[in-house]
Amino acid sequence: MKRILYVESDAKSRARTVEALRTLQCEVTSLSTTGEAVHALENDPPSLVMAVRNEASEDDLRLIEHAHRLRSGVPVLVLARRGSTRGAIAFMDAGAYDYVAKPDSDNAIREMAENILRSAGALAVPDAGLLPEAGDDGPGAIVGRSAEMIEIFKMIGRIAKSDAAVLLQGESGTGKELAARTIHENSRRQGRPFVAINCAAIPETLLESELFGHEKGAFTGAVGMRRGKFEQCDGGTIFLDEIGDMSLATQAKILRVLQEKTFERVGGEESLTTDARVVTATNKSLVKEMRKNEFRVDLFYRLKVVSLFLPPLRQRHGDIRILAEHFLRKYAETGRQPMRGITRAALEMLQGSPWEGNVRELENAIQSAVVLNRTGVLDREDFPFLRQAVGGESIDSNPLESLQREVARASRALLRTERATEGQGVYRACMDLVEQTLVTEALRHCDGNQVRAARVLGISRNTLRSRMHFTRG
């Protein structure tokens, strides 16, 4: 009989989850600490360990280490109440089976356990060393607990262990510099310089000097020798943001640094070396830039040894509450009085906004609201700019209310004449059109991924496929 070891400090929550797990016809042992779980592993190894944790303590890591030592290996699933970069990196690097956000539903936890037990008959998690601690999730941390961000945390943990060049892609404001800094802080280069430079913000005539330095008299105004960024961060990490805006001439010099680790200062003849790790970022499509012959193909493949895409905020709406609370704590001291929280109505407004500027826009919105707030609690009235006209249309805080008004308006127009429905009837015509539009927009929102689209819509994949067939014809 398979046995599950479940660890959680909250007794009431633990009891509810254990009751759900026992419906799997498994023996379930519940404990409150991972220290107790270590001893339980030694005495009677289970088939699966599930532990509700956020950060990785010594006992947590000992638990995973002991699980590895068992003959067949015991998978350890970490359920995080509040996902963190440090927790995800440490647990995954230690060899946890997975690190996921703890579902609100005990049945969802039961399904996770069932899936793991079904496929983990002889599953052994790989051995791995402990990643050095990256520091707590303070103001400069990547914040999120959505499935998308948990995957980003795990990817960063794997990327950080190598010296490979990394290309970060994503829209402006998604946190590419934070990701670059986190990679650096969790690598063997931590403690060495991290230098960030925005290639689009520096005139092309000065960018080469900024990157490689210059000798005295190299050009008008060069009154002395200056060390460039590659020289300054030797042994560390250099982050080149907006690499897609770099000229072809400078691209060629970056390519040489990547290939040979050598460069010359502007106006100099001495060949210098650098051991800087290169992390780059862009919000442009470099593939399109290459097609226009505005970006070097050879440089693209040198930069894209490892590629990481940071999703826009509209694809991780589940993180908006956590991000809002994070920024509220960050800017609480700048307000006129102590900040106590944010109302449900305000959170609903934030979650219903498009956030075209992504996390950066949300942070600015929270900062502005805190500065202007007079009550100590953020409410809808503290975000009037979210309802201002954008592109000629008002952003409504509740999309369903907006949809209801639009449906009512269109329904009144259709009911006045049946010719618009071509004899199909108002009800059938409306329902077909709404379903077709909803399915089409869900697929577009999920970049054609049917599994994600079905999950967003709350229907099965088979139902989605049948609706796709229906809407096509």
Side-chain angles (χ1 to χ4, degrees):
M1 186 178 190
K2 293 184 177 180
R3 190 166 72 86
I4 298 174
L5 184 60
Y6 185 80
V7 184
E8 184 174 8
S9 58
D10 187 319
K12 291 184 179 179
S13 176
R14 184 173 71 246
R16 290 195 305 269
T17 305
V18 166
E19 184 177 352
L21 291 173
R22 284 179 176 150
T23 63
L24 294 174
Q25 305 302 312
C26 291
E27 179 185 345
V28 182
T29 301
S30 67
L31 297 170
S32 59
T33 70
T34 48
E36 295 173 325
V38 171
H39 296 296
L41 271 181
E42 296 171 346
N43 297 330
D44 187 11
S47 308
L48 169 65
V49 176
M50 306 179 77
V52 179
R53 313 297 296 163
N54 282 329
E55 306 299 336
S57 68
E58 290 185 8
D59 281 341
D60 298 335
L61 299 173
R62 281 177 55 215
L63 175 65
I64 296 174
E65 180 185 356
H66 279 269
H68 289 167
R69 291 177 179 174
L70 298 175
R71 182 169 54 85
S72 61
V74 175
V76 179
L77 175 65
V78 180
L79 303 169
R81 288 195 189 91
R82 190 182 187 92
S84 74
T85 307
R86 181 175 66 180
I89 291 173
F91 277 117
M92 293 307 295
D93 195 67
Y97 175 83
D98 207 350
Y99 177 93
V100 299
K102 183 179 185 290
D104 295 330
S105 165
D106 290 323
N107 287 332
I109 298 177
R110 180 182 62 79
E111 290 177 7
M112 286 182 181
E114 184 177 21
N115 291 334
I116 295 173
L117 290 173
R118 185 182 298 120
S119 60
L123 178 65
V125 287
D127 278 329
L130 172 62
L131 193 69
E133 191 174 81
D136 59 10
D137 286 343
I142 306 175
V143 177
R145 59 161 289 172
S146 63
E148 291 83 359
M149 292 311 297
I150 293 292
E151 289 303 312
I152 293 295
F153 295 158
K154 292 189 285 189
M155 279 288 291
I156 287 176
R158 291 192 285 268
I159 291 170
K161 291 185 289 186
S162 78
D163 281 332
V166 181
L167 175 62
L168 302 174
Q169 300 181 80
E171 297 177 7
S172 179
T174 51
K176 295 188 288 295
E177 182 171 345
L178 280 180
R181 190 177 295 275
T182 304
I183 290 171
H184 170 75
E185 291 174 350
N186 287 278
S187 73
R188 68 175 181 83
R189 298 171 182 269
Q190 63 170 323
R192 301 294 296 169
F194 174 87
V195 177
I197 183 168
N198 188 323
C199 301
I202 301 175
E204 184 58 36
T205 54
L206 299 178
L207 182 59
E208 185 179 351
S209 171
E210 190 73 19
L211 292 172
F212 306 112
H214 61 255
E215 297 290 352
K216 180 179 179 180
F219 50 82
T220 303
V223 295
M225 185 275 286
R226 180 184 179 187
R227 299 166 65 236
K229 301 301 186 187
F230 274 102
E231 196 172 349
Q232 293 173 27
C233 70
D234 184 29
T237 303
I238 184 168
F239 173 57
L240 304 178
D241 198 5
E242 305 300 351
I243 190 76
D245 291 283
M246 185 179 288
S247 72
L248 290 170
T250 307
Q251 289 176 33
K253 296 184 178 181
I254 295 293
L255 179 62
R256 183 189 172 198
V257 172
L258 290 170
Q259 290 176 330
E260 303 174 15
K261 301 290 186 181
T262 61
F263 64 95
E264 290 85 33
R265 299 191 188 107
V266 177
E269 298 180 355
E270 180 185 2
S271 184
L272 304 174
T273 62
T274 181
D275 181 35
R277 182 184 189 175
V278 178
V279 179
T280 56
T282 179
N283 60 12
K284 288 185 175 182
S285 169
L286 294 185
V287 174
K288 291 181 180 178
E289 295 299 305
M290 287 189 292
R291 288 173 182 164
K292 296 187 294 183
N293 294 320
E294 294 183 3
F295 199 86
R296 295 179 62 108
V297 176
D298 48 3
L299 177 59
F300 173 75
Y301 288 109
R302 280 284 181 177
L303 296 176
K304 196 188 176 188
V305 176
V306 180
S307 180
L308 183 62
F309 177 78
L310 297 177
L313 190 54
R314 62 179 174 275
Q315 291 182 8
R316 41 181 291 222
H317 264 206
D319 287 335
I320 289 179
R321 175 171 186 163
I322 293 174
L323 285 164
E325 292 171 347
H326 171 79
F327 294 133
L328 179 57
R329 288 191 296 272
K330 177 179 177 180
Y331 293 110
E333 295 180 0
T334 65
R336 301 178 183 180
Q337 65 286 303
M339 301 301 299
R340 301 192 305 277
I342 183 169
T343 67
R344 184 185 300 274
L347 285 171
E348 289 176 353
M349 171 182 280
L350 298 180
Q351 290 169 335
S353 298
W355 301 117
E356 295 179 1
N358 294 297
V359 179
R360 182 185 296 124
E361 182 186 1
L362 174 60
E363 178 175 5
N364 292 341
I366 296 295
Q367 182 181 14
S368 174
V370 168
V371 169
L372 300 176
N373 178 266
R374 293 175 294 178
T375 65
V377 176
L378 297 187
D379 204 352
R380 289 168 59 101
E381 289 70 23
D382 293 298
F383 302 94
F385 41 86
L386 293 184
R387 301 183 63 88
Q388 293 176 357
V390 175
E393 297 182 5
S394 176
I395 298 176
D396 199 289
S397 62
N398 191 325
L400 287 177
E401 291 177 0
S402 178
L403 176 62
Q404 183 179 30
R405 288 193 293 271
E406 289 299 315
V407 169
R409 182 188 60 78
S411 297
R412 288 192 294 269
L414 282 172
L415 290 169
R416 284 195 292 269
T417 173
E418 295 185 8
R419 286 179 298 175
T421 64
E422 299 180 351
Q424 190 179 9
V426 172
Y427 177 81
R428 189 69 266 164
C430 285
M431 296 303 293
D432 289 350
L433 184 60
V434 168
E435 186 170 46
Q436 177 181 356
T437 304
L438 191 57
V439 167
T440 300
E441 290 302 320
L443 287 167
R444 181 180 292 116
H445 172 72
C446 297
D447 297 324
N449 187 310
Q450 295 180 19
V451 174
R452 284 177 52 206
R455 184 167 64 244
V456 169
L457 291 171
I459 60 179
S460 70
R461 189 178 181 184
N462 287 337
T463 300
L464 175 67
R465 284 176 168 172
S466 68
R467 294 298 87 192
M468 289 170 60
H469 175 73
F470 172 75
T471 57
R472 288 168 183 163

